[in-house]
Amino acid sequence: MAKRSFRVDINYDWCKSCGICYHMCPTKTIKEGELKRPVVEDHSTCIGCLICENLCPDFAINIVDITEKVGEKNG
């Protein structure tokens, strides 16, 4: 059984701080930071809905699936 986990990658070189991502995020994983820049304090709250990624006009957000295999031992 796998536990779905996601990481929000924001390319600040492309981001113009429009705020669409943090206004539309249903879990408030993306929050408004200084100078209206989006910030992510806790990636574990991301549910992978891709709303932010799909609505970003600058293509500055990438949601990465970092699913872990629960109960699987490494090595």
Side-chain angles (χ1 to χ4, degrees):
M1 181 168 218
K3 178 184 174 214
R4 303 277 321 253
S5 300
F6 301 93
R7 183 180 72 240
V8 181
D9 287 342
I10 301 172
N11 183 336
Y12 290 106
D13 291 334
W14 295 358
C15 177
K16 66 180 179 222
S17 303
C18 66
I20 292 172
C21 57
Y22 51 79
H23 287 296
M24 298 305 295
C25 182
T27 60
K28 301 301 178 201
T29 298
I30 304 174
K31 297 180 180 180
E32 182 178 350
E34 281 188 46
L35 302 175
K36 299 198 179 280
R37 289 182 80 179
V39 294
V40 179
E41 296 170 351
D42 183 8
H43 292 271
S44 69
T45 59
C46 179
I47 59 173
C49 67
L50 302 179
I51 291 174
C52 58
E53 182 177 302
N54 291 325
L55 292 179
C56 180
D58 303 311
F59 305 102
I61 299 176
N62 186 32
I63 303 300
V64 180
D65 187 346
I66 53 170
T67 300
E68 303 169 9
K69 302 288 183 192
V70 176
E72 184 174 286
K73 294 184 180 185
N74 294 334

